[in-house]
């Protein structure tokens, strides 16, 4: 069974289908109309964020006892797919906020969860996730940021790079070495944005995802109470990898949503554009392109749903999550490229959405684990 968008519905409950339709309508009516201006001005659409909070989506990964939505992984993936259909920058901001709430919900004490999660469900403070560093991207074990105990506090020092929600955030989940000489001492901390020594660095000028604020972060002698240490010393990196498995499912879903948006734009254009005495949708080469685009997007979607199903069932989703992230992100790049090609010269113009989709797609192959890292994970699981 398929719906008007060509999605397979067989694995979805009635509630999940209803949620998908609500988010798709929101993406089309509230996000997509302002997406081009947000991209051009490099300004995040805060009104859309407030609307996400009104829809309870800023509490997507927060347990119900703290007022959250407490979504299962399949619903989480659906929401990310449909938001990315509207604008990838909005979906990315929400998925990173959800990484932060997931860390606090899973690793924080009861007091810390009660202090932060209800407010984050309401949309403010926005959460950010600080793992990558200028010289430690794909290998976070090489990070140099430290958080050294001083009595009943930790003193945090270091620089982080490529932080989504960097200047918007009110709270950061930060990873740092508890022992400067021990790469195995990486620990996870909660850092309020208003603490002394927390500085938002330069905003990055990016190829795509330009409405998303991506910044550097500096932490200079930030004094943190012990209660804001979220994991035991040395357990931060394994915690990060566990949280990022769910994050990769979200990014893969976003790549599918972006690919679907490009397909729909290409199909609409192909029927409107006439060449050689008819719409280009009747030209065989165009039809072949669209068939390949649709098939790969659907294959990516089903990989995402299988990864989400495994996570919901308590199975180990690492292999399929890596496959989904790898295949969906590369599919998004290929599909948006073909959507530009179908538009011809118009596809290269910023007045057509496929130009932005093409620029945005590339980041899905890089953040939260590059394509190369996903292949490394897949090979390790398959080859042993």
């Amino acid at each position: 069974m398929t719906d008007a968008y060509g999605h397979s519905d067989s694995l979805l409950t009635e509630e999940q289908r209803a949620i998908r339709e609500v988010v798709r309508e929101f993406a089309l009516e509230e996000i997509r109309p302002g997406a081009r201006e947000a991209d051009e001005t490099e300004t995040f659409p805060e009104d859309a964020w407030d609307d996400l909070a009104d829809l309870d989506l800023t509490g997507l990964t927060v347990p119900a006892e703290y007022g959250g939505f407490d979504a299962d992984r399949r619903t989480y993936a659906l929401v990310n797919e449909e938001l990315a259909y509207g604008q990838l920058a909005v979906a990315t901001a929400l998925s990173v906020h959800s990484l932060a709430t997931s860390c606090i919900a899973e690793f924080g004490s009861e007091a810390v969860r009660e202090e932060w999660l209800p407010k984050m469900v309401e949309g403010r403070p926005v959460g950010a996730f600080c793992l990558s560093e200028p010289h430690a991207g794909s290998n976070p074990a090489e990070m140099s940021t430290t958080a050294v105990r001083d009595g009943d506090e930790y003193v945090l020092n270091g620089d982080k790079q490529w932080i989504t929600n960097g200047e918007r955030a009110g709270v950061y989940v930060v990873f740092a070495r508890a022992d400067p000489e021990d790469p195995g001492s990486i620990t996870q901390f909660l850092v309020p944005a208003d603490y002394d020594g927390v500085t938002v660095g330069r905003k990055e000028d990016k190829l795509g995802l330009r409405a998303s604020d991506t910044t550097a972060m500096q932490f200079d002698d930030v004094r943190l109470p012990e209660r804001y240490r979220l994991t035991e010393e040395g357990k931060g990196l394994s915690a990060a990898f566990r949280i990022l498995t769910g994050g990769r499912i979200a990014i893969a879903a976003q790549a599918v949503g972006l690919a679907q948006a490009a397909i729909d734009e290409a199909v609409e254009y192909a029927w409107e554009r006439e060449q050689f005495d008819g719409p280009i949708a009747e030209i065989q080469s165009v039809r072949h392109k669209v068939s390949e685009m649709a098939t790969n997007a659907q294959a990516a979607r089903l990989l995402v749903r299988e990864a989400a199903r495994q996570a919901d069932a308590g199975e180990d989703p690492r292999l399929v999550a890596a496959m989904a992230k790898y295949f969906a992100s590369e599919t998004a790049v290929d599909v948006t490229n073909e959507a530009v090609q179908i538009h011809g010269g118009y596809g290269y113009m910023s007045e057509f959405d496929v130009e932005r989709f093409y620029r945005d797609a590339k980041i899905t192959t890089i953040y939260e684990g590059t394509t190369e890292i996903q292949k490394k994970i897949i090979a390790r699981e398959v080859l042993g």
Side-chain angles (χ1 to χ4, degrees), residues 28-46:
L28 281 174
E29 295 184 2
E30 304 299 331
I31 298 177
R32 183 75 71 81
R36 186 180 306 156
E37 181 180 358
D39 178 81
E40 291 173 352
T41 61
E42 301 182 52
T43 303
F44 186 82
E46 293 293 347

Side-chain angles (χ1 to χ4, degrees), residues 96 99-104 107 120 126-134 140 143-148 154-161 163-166 169-178 185-200 215-240 243:
V96 171
L99 284 179
T101 57
S102 294
C103 289
I104 296 169
F107 306 115
M120 296 177 79
V126 176
F129 188 84
C130 302
L131 181 63
S132 296
E133 297 187 2
M143 71 174 59
S144 58
T145 297
T146 60
V148 179
Y154 285 85
V155 182
L156 176 67
N157 282 283
D159 298 327
K160 296 294 182 178
Q161 190 79 18
I163 306 304
T164 297
N165 296 337
V171 61
Y172 304 89
V173 172
V174 181
F175 296 81
R177 291 187 184 188
S185 68
I186 294 172
T187 307
Q188 184 182 146
F189 297 88
L190 183 154
V191 183
D194 59 0
Y195 270 29
D196 290 342
V198 177
T199 304
V200 178
T215 73
M217 294 297 304
Q218 287 89 45
F219 302 98
D220 299 308
D221 290 331
V222 181
R223 303 192 73 87
L224 300 171
E226 185 176 4
R227 73 178 188 278
Y228 283 168
R229 189 193 71 203
L230 296 179
T231 61
E232 296 178 20
E233 292 185 7
K235 298 298 178 75
L237 201 53
S238 60
I243 293 295

Side-chain angles (χ1 to χ4, degrees), residues 114-125:
E114 289 179 352
E115 179 183 1
W116 289 96
L117 291 178
K119 295 184 292 186
M120 296 177 79
V121 167
E122 295 175 358
R124 313 285 174 175

Side-chain angles (χ1 to χ4, degrees), residues 1 17 27 30 34 38 54 72 89 103 145 151 169 174 237 292 329 370 382:
M1 176 182 176
R17 283 194 283 270
E30 304 299 331
D54 291 340
D72 58 74
C103 289
T145 297
V174 181
L237 201 53
E292 291 169 2
S329 62
T370 63
V382 173

Side-chain angles (χ1 to χ4, degrees), residues 5 85 255-270 289-298 301 331 334-336 338-340 342-343 354 357:
Y5 307 118
Y85 187 89
V256 172
L258 183 60
Q260 189 65 53
I263 291 168
D264 290 351
E265 289 294 315
V267 167
E268 181 178 356
Y269 181 83
K289 284 183 185 295
V290 172
S291 68
E292 291 169 2
M293 293 157 71
T295 299
N296 287 333
Q298 181 69 344
R301 179 178 292 111
T331 292
D334 293 343
V335 165
T336 55
E338 292 289 28
V340 169
I342 288 171
H343 279 71
V354 291
F357 297 160

Side-chain angles (χ1 to χ4, degrees), residues 283-363:
I283 298 174
Q284 187 178 53
S285 61
V286 173
R287 298 176 74 85
H288 284 181
K289 284 183 185 295
V290 172
S291 68
E292 291 169 2
M293 293 157 71
T295 299
N296 287 333
Q298 181 69 344
R301 179 178 292 111
L302 294 175
L303 269 175
V304 171
R305 291 191 181 171
E306 173 59 13
R309 184 204 65 78
Q310 290 185 5
D312 287 334
E315 301 171 19
D316 185 349
R318 284 178 295 179
L319 173 59
V320 180
M323 288 177 169
K325 170 67 165 62
Y326 155 51
F327 186 76
S329 62
E330 294 293 341
T331 292
V333 172
D334 293 343
V335 165
T336 55
N337 174 53
E338 292 289 28
V340 169
Q341 197 71 16
I342 288 171
H343 279 71
Y346 290 113
Y348 205 67
M349 303 295 108
S350 60
E351 65 190 276
F352 285 80
D353 286 340
V354 291
E355 180 267 348
R356 184 180 71 257
F357 297 160
Y358 183 46
R359 289 186 289 106
D360 283 355
K362 184 59 186 174
I363 191 59

